[in-house]
Amino acid sequence: MTTTEKGKFYERGIEFYIRQNPKIYFDNTNVEWNVKVKGNSGVLHQIDILLTTGEKLVLVECKNHQKKIGYDVVAKLDSIVQDIPNTSGVIYSVNGFSSDAEQYAKEKNIELISMSIEDIIFQGCNLAFKKCLPNLEDPPQKYWVIMEQFGNTTTGSYQLFYGNKIFLFTDK
């Protein structure tokens, strides 16, 4: 997988996570991936994920780098936030942030979130499953489940396919 492919994979994972939990930033969130927004300066800014509700915007940058994210990435997002009215900024990173980046982000009110790919898959799927699976308190009903069977016994195993984003699960 190329660096660009890894970046897009991470962006789409964060987008999936946010779509499963849209109230993470505010109610009635519209989520868009890979958009361009024109600032007051006239410059067209590429945004990994844009969250909107009414007049408010949240600019989300996603960084799938092998090292911690530095000050320069936070400063770049801050300059974009300053150029686009009614915005705030968030940066997701696979490997965290340098102390300079954290200090600058705190001063500029930019949210920094460390989230590994495994966390995205687990948390995003967990939120998605909660939407489609019954609560423990619900009365029993018939639910179809796809699972691995060995002989006359199910193993409890399930499959996860990244290419088609199909999640197969055994039960809740």
Side-chain angles (χ1 to χ4, degrees), residues 100-130:
D100 286 348
E102 289 174 350
Q103 182 179 351
Y104 187 80
K106 186 176 180 181
E107 180 67 29
K108 296 297 184 174
N109 204 25
I110 292 177
E111 186 177 2
L112 303 181
I113 301 171
S114 295
M115 186 176 273
S116 70
I117 291 171
E118 293 81 13
D119 287 340
I120 295 168
I121 293 169
F122 177 76
Q123 291 181 29
C125 290
N126 188 33
L127 291 165
F129 289 161
K130 283 181 180 180

Side-chain angles (χ1 to χ4, degrees), residues 123-141:
Q123 291 181 29
C125 290
N126 188 33
L127 291 165
F129 289 161
K130 283 181 180 180
K131 290 179 181 178
C132 66
L133 294 175
N135 291 321
L136 290 174
E137 297 80 31
D138 289 347
Q141 298 178 25

Side-chain angles (χ1 to χ4, degrees), residues 63-65 67-74 91-99 101-102:
K63 301 299 177 189
N64 189 357
H65 296 185
K67 295 181 180 179
K68 290 182 176 186
I69 299 304
Y71 155 84
D72 56 328
V73 173
V74 181
I91 303 174
Y92 283 85
S93 170
V94 169
N95 287 307
F97 302 89
S98 70
S99 58
E102 289 174 350

